[in-house]
Amino acid sequence: MGQLEERYKSYRVPQNFMSKGIYPYFREITGKQGTEVEMGGHKVLMFGSNAYTGLTGDQRIIDKAKAALDKYGSGCAGSRFLNGTLDLHVQLEKEIAEFIGKEDCLCFSTGFSVNQGVLAMVVGKDDYIICDDRDHASIVDGRRLSFAKQLHYKHNDMEDLERVLKNLPYEAVKLIVVDGVFSMEGDLAKLPEIVELKHKYNCSIMVDEAHGVGVFGRQGRGVCDHFGLTDEVDLIMGTFSKSLASIGGFIASDKETINFLRHTCRTYIFSASNTPAATAAAMEALHIIQEEPERIEKLWSVTNYALKRFREEGFEIGETESPIIPLYVRDPDKTFLVTALAFNAGVFINPVIPPACAPQDTLVRYALMATHTEEQVERSVVILKKIFIEQGIIK
């Protein structure tokens, strides 16, 4: 037996849940993602997706991806830095910069690699990174790769953020990094207050708009636009894998900062380029959300209906202000059990346990798409209420 095999042979956490019949991960979907999906011959309502705009199966996007595949082939065989830059990549960067409201933009192969690479390079050993306690794992990993001093503050607690900032050198580079929409709880960053603190303590701000683009702001420009604070935010990050129905990510900022990152960011320079099909798909999705404002209006209509129904039925949903609705369970084993029971009853939701949340905050994550109907929401609420009552989670 090898060293690693010997070390990890006792790791049986997944197997323990499998033996109980409540293991919730890696279920195979056998068709396009939509509001209902086939999984192993079992049809379920999909409330576990991040496809807020409901565009993942849109034929227009599929056609653009096919056309790019025909024209450019299946891949780029190299990084953007060397032989992997297509005119498609450059065009998408121009369009995103204009859409977001920044001078320039870089596109990456994944959203995770944006945060991982940018945070590793944009601040150095004499600088400071200050993060919200509930920032996404990609932000956590990115800050770990940085030589900057690492600080954090309690979730959305502006008094605690100010406590951290007032003890730092005024002239030092201090980057506050925050999710625009927190991906598990669905609440928004207190961006207006963060901007006030930026000016008071001479800081910079980076906002992760992964769950904001396509949902908030004018034509889905994100939380920064929603608050009218795009010009106050120094770095805006986003992904293509949610509202933009593809895979990849971007960082948007001023020309000087993007020029620096373009020539130094390791996850950009040393990663293969995003595929032609994925790039074309993201660009077409970007066009559609600008041309069809009714899509985002529909998303908010069904979101508000779901928020109202869950509150009426006594679910604990925290302070969510978005299509992400946390249904708190507050027990890890019950969280897995509820997920399994819901799946068996025809509702797909996601369990959220540590490290994605605090141990006392375990929940199931219910997320909406513009293509969901009120009837589908109602069916799911009825099913979930029965399960939550049976498990003693709500009365």
Side-chain angles (χ1 to χ4, degrees), residues 141-176:
D141 282 7
R143 81 183 188 200
R144 286 173 176 168
L145 290 172
S146 171
F147 291 109
K149 297 173 182 67
Q150 318 281 314
L151 300 165
H152 60 91
Y153 60 96
K154 296 174 185 175
H155 175 56
N156 260 346
D157 187 330
M158 296 298 100
E159 289 184 6
D160 198 41
L161 174 56
E162 184 163 20
R163 175 193 62 79
V164 172
L165 294 176
K166 69 183 180 183
N167 292 316
L168 304 180
Y170 185 82
E171 295 302 327
V173 173
K174 301 174 288 293
L175 182 64
I176 303 167

Side-chain angles (χ1 to χ4, degrees), residues 251-266:
I251 190 74
S253 187
D254 62 89
K255 287 184 178 179
E256 301 303 330
T257 302
I258 294 298
N259 177 59
F260 170 76
L261 290 170
R262 182 176 282 118
H263 295 91
T264 60
C265 185
R266 293 170 67 85

Side-chain angles (χ1 to χ4, degrees), residues 27 64 129 182 195:
R27 292 194 176 109
K64 288 290 185 181
I129 294 178
F182 289 92
V195 168

Side-chain angles (χ1 to χ4, degrees), residues 3-12:
Q3 289 178 319
L4 297 181
E5 186 180 4
E6 178 67 31
R7 172 182 289 179
Y8 297 119
K9 68 180 182 181
S10 61
Y11 175 69
R12 287 294 178 267

